[in-house]
Structure formats: structure tokens, C-alpha cells
Amino acid sequence: MPIILATWEAKIRRIAGLKTVQMTGDVGSMLPTEKSKQEGHIWGSMRRTAFILGSGLLLLVAFWNSVTWHLQRFWGASGYFWQAQWERLLSTFEGKEWILFIIGAAQVPGLLFWAFNGLLLVVDITGKPSFISRYRIQVGKNEPVDPVKLRQAIHTVLFNQYMISLPMVVFLYPFLKWLGDPCRQELPTFHWFLLELAIFTLMEEVLFYYSHRLLHHPTFYKKIHKKHHEWTAPIGVISLYAHPIEHVASNMLPVIVGPLVMGSHLSSITMWFSLALIITTISHCGYHLPFLPSPEFHDYHHLKFNQCYGVLGVLDHLHGTDTMFKQTKAYERHILLLGLTPLSESIPDSPKKRE
């Protein structure tokens, strides 16, 4: 029996010793293993991120190339048609091209402005159709719009359009004529117009941001810019509701300088002026409608005054004048709405704010 017990005791000790060595080895190798796993996880995340970003960039480039290719095909296929129509217009206004210029640069954009705003005003005044009212950004404001304030705004907008904008367009013609004749016979190519549009947009962003921010200086705000900010909850038509000095410095000049620099054709000018008026209307309309650019950025500017001065938001980001905006639900909702559910419902305000 003593021999058997001694044998079992030796076996137990050997097993215990092996376990001790194994446990010691595990403890010693635990940190390097975890470290390697962590490094592998980081590199894996970086690879996945690079793959996702790279794939997204490739898809964006492919999509953009596809869109421009199809548009170029359309432009090329219909180019003769548009060129023929343009030459017909030139022959009709031969010797009176300045009238054609005023129609294209002032009347056509103006008609589009009032057509779009007319539809919005129906909703602002009547609240109908109700499904559009669901997309209101500042809920409870302008429901319905104050008729006295609205009449005053319309009178000011008409004054700015016909007593300021129209004369500026008339005086713009001889400068463009000197630079390269906006009513020249040959229409611009599609790719040239894309380049012009990019330059126009960049110039507008720079000029509007700094002129607009200057108007918020106490020296100018009280006497000039405060008029535009009477509407803390904006509507589309008040996009041109401004003091005459502001209308010249901050509404007209940022849009005009681009075509002047580029010596643009009337067709480019008409499309650019029309696009600028539609975009500024959307920015002020007070509704975040599906499939249209988000107006949350400029709507927040009207609500808080000291944030979001630009058009695109690029200079606001560089100058840090959108930091408060980025902390709000409005920033989360500042996206292109691709569905029919209002963003005020899918991304609601916090309960404390609603109270």
C-alpha cells in the first residue's frame, strides 16, 4: 500500500506540475496574443474602410461619367435643334440683341421665380394641400402666413426685381458685349457649360459668404440686414426680401460676377440666373420637400442669425461658423430626402425641446 500511495502521489505531482507550466505559459503568452489580435482587428478595420471608401469613390466616378455621357449624348443629338432655334431667335431680334438679352437674363428667370413661389404661396396661405404642410421645418410657424407681412414682402421683392435687378441686367449687357458678345451665334458646348457652372457656384459661395457675414456686423445689421431677418421662419418669396443695398451687394453681385469673368453666352446666363433663383427659393421656402435640396442650413441661419452664412457650407466649415448647427437635429436632417416620410417625423426633436 505505501508503494501504491507513493506511486499515485508522484503521478499527481507530475500532473500538477504540467498544469502549472501550462498555466504559466498561458499567462505569459496572453498579452502578445491579445496584442496581435488587436493589431489584426485595426488593420482589418482599415482595410475594410479603405475598401468601402475606394468602392464608393469608384461608383461615384462611374455614376458621374455615366450621367455626363448620357447628357452629352442628348446634348449632341439635340445640339443641331437648339442651335437652329437660337439662330432663329437671333434673326428675329437682329439689330436688337439687347432686347433678347434682357428677356433671357431677366424675364425668363423672373417668370420661373414667380411660378415656383406661386405654388409655395398657395400652401403658405391656405395650408393646402396638407401633405406638403407636413414637411414644414419650423412647425407652428407661418400657419397661415401673416397677410400683412406677406404683402409688404411681395412689394419689396417686386421693387428689388424691377427697380434694381432689371437696371443691373441692362447695364451688364455692354460689359458682356465688350468681353465677348453674350448673343454670339455659336452655343456653348455641354462640357464648357459644366465648367462655367462650377466656377459660377464657387464664386457665388465666396462672394455671398463674406458679403453676408459683413452685413451681420453691428454697423450694417441694424440699418440694412435686419430687414431680411424680420422673417425668423422664412418662406420662399422672401429670398429677395432685402434692403436695396443688400440686394445689390449680397443677392446680385455674387451671381453676376461669374458670367462677367467667363464672358458667358446668354444661354449659360439664363440657366445660371434661373438656377440661382430656384435654389435660393428652396433655401428659404420653409419646407424640407422630398427630392429637393435641403433648406435646413439656411433655415437655421434665420432661426439663430449667427450660424450658416454661406450657400454650400464650405466656408462655414472652414471658418467654424456652423459649429452650433452641427450639434442640432437640424444638422441630422440636412440631407436629401429620398422618401415620403417627413424628416421631422423620422428624426424628431428631443422631448425637452418639444416641451
Side-chain angles (χ1 to χ4, degrees):
M1 285 293 292
I3 296 172
I4 295 172
L5 288 173
T7 304
W8 277 103
E9 186 177 354
K11 287 181 178 180
I12 291 170
R13 283 177 180 174
R14 283 199 302 272
I15 293 170
L18 288 171
K19 290 289 185 181
T20 303
V21 172
Q22 185 178 358
M23 289 175 65
T24 305
D26 288 344
V27 171
S29 63
M30 187 181 296
L31 290 177
T33 304
E34 288 184 354
K35 187 177 180 181
S36 62
K37 286 182 178 178
Q38 187 176 7
E39 289 178 353
H41 176 71
I42 292 171
W43 282 110
S45 298
M46 291 177 68
R47 283 195 298 270
R48 284 194 296 273
T49 303
F51 175 76
I52 292 169
L53 291 177
S55 301
L57 183 61
L58 286 173
L59 285 173
L60 178 63
V61 171
F63 175 75
W64 178 250
N65 286 339
S66 175
V67 169
T68 54
W69 182 77
H70 284 294
L71 288 173
Q72 179 63 32
R73 281 194 65 191
F74 168 76
W75 191 275
S78 60
Y80 177 76
F81 171 79
W82 294 115
Q83 183 67 44
Q85 303 311 307
W86 172 245
E87 290 176 4
R88 186 177 298 176
L89 275 175
L90 283 179
S91 64
T92 302
F93 289 91
E94 187 176 0
K96 298 180 180 178
E97 287 83 1
W98 63 273
I99 297 177
L100 180 61
F101 179 82
I102 292 171
I103 293 172
Q107 297 306 312
V108 171
L111 287 173
L112 290 173
F113 174 84
W114 282 110
F116 189 31
N117 276 285
L119 296 174
L120 291 171
L121 282 172
V122 171
V123 185
D124 292 328
I125 294 169
T126 66
K128 297 177 181 179
S130 58
F131 76 87
I132 293 182
S133 297
R134 294 174 60 215
Y135 298 98
R136 190 180 297 278
I137 296 173
Q138 296 187 41
V139 179
K141 302 289 182 68
N142 297 323
E143 296 183 4
V145 67
D146 185 338
V148 176
K149 284 183 67 178
L150 178 59
R151 280 197 297 272
Q152 180 186 2
I154 291 175
H155 290 159
T156 301
V157 170
L158 288 171
F159 175 85
N160 285 340
Q161 282 186 310
Y162 290 99
M163 301 305 292
I164 298 176
S165 295
L166 184 59
M168 287 185 73
V169 168
V170 172
F171 282 111
L172 179 64
Y173 178 70
F175 288 100
L176 286 168
K177 182 83 172 174
W178 176 69
L179 288 168
D181 191 4
C183 296
R184 52 189 175 272
Q185 186 172 359
E186 186 177 355
L187 289 173
T189 64
F190 175 70
H191 284 103
W192 179 255
F193 173 70
L194 284 183
L195 175 63
E196 285 186 309
L197 190 60
I199 292 173
F200 297 164
T201 304
L202 180 62
M203 288 187 172
E204 184 197 23
E205 172 71 6
V206 172
L207 293 172
F208 180 78
Y209 178 87
Y210 290 112
S211 63
H212 185 195
R213 193 168 177 183
L214 181 64
L215 288 171
H216 274 265
H217 189 278
T219 305
F220 304 108
Y221 182 81
K222 187 175 182 180
K223 294 181 179 179
I224 298 174
H225 193 48
K226 188 177 180 180
K227 184 179 184 71
H228 185 68
H229 274 283
E230 290 171 4
W231 292 78
T232 54
I235 61 173
V237 75
I238 69 109
S239 55
L240 299 182
Y241 176 70
H243 189 282
I245 294 176
E246 177 183 352
H247 186 63
V248 172
S250 202
N251 289 343
M252 291 298 295
L253 287 180
V255 177
I256 284 175
V257 168
L260 266 174
V261 170
M262 299 299 291
S264 297
H265 193 277
L266 177 59
S267 58
S268 298
I269 294 170
T270 301
M271 294 178 74
W272 167 238
F273 284 3
S274 301
L275 182 63
L277 283 173
I278 295 299
I279 292 297
T280 192
T281 296
I282 293 172
S283 298
H284 288 85
C285 72
Y287 303 97
H288 195 147
L289 298 169
F291 312 111
L292 291 180
S294 168
E296 301 279 354
F297 188 78
H298 196 73
D299 196 278
Y300 189 79
H301 173 75
H302 274 262
L303 185 64
K304 297 297 183 181
F305 292 16
N306 61 350
Q307 292 278 294
C308 309
Y309 295 102
V311 179
L312 302 175
V314 176
L315 290 174
D316 285 282
H317 176 74
L318 293 175
H319 288 288
T321 49
D322 60 353
T323 51
M324 286 174 56
F325 174 66
K326 288 178 178 177
Q327 298 171 13
T328 66
K329 289 289 184 180
Y331 176 68
E332 296 180 34
R333 294 191 284 259
H334 187 45
I335 56 175
L336 180 66
L337 178 56
L338 297 176
L340 297 179
T341 302
L343 287 169
S344 58
E345 296 177 10
S346 58
I347 309 177
D349 289 326
S350 61
K352 186 179 291 186
K353 184 174 181 180
R354 288 199 297 267
E355 291 172 3

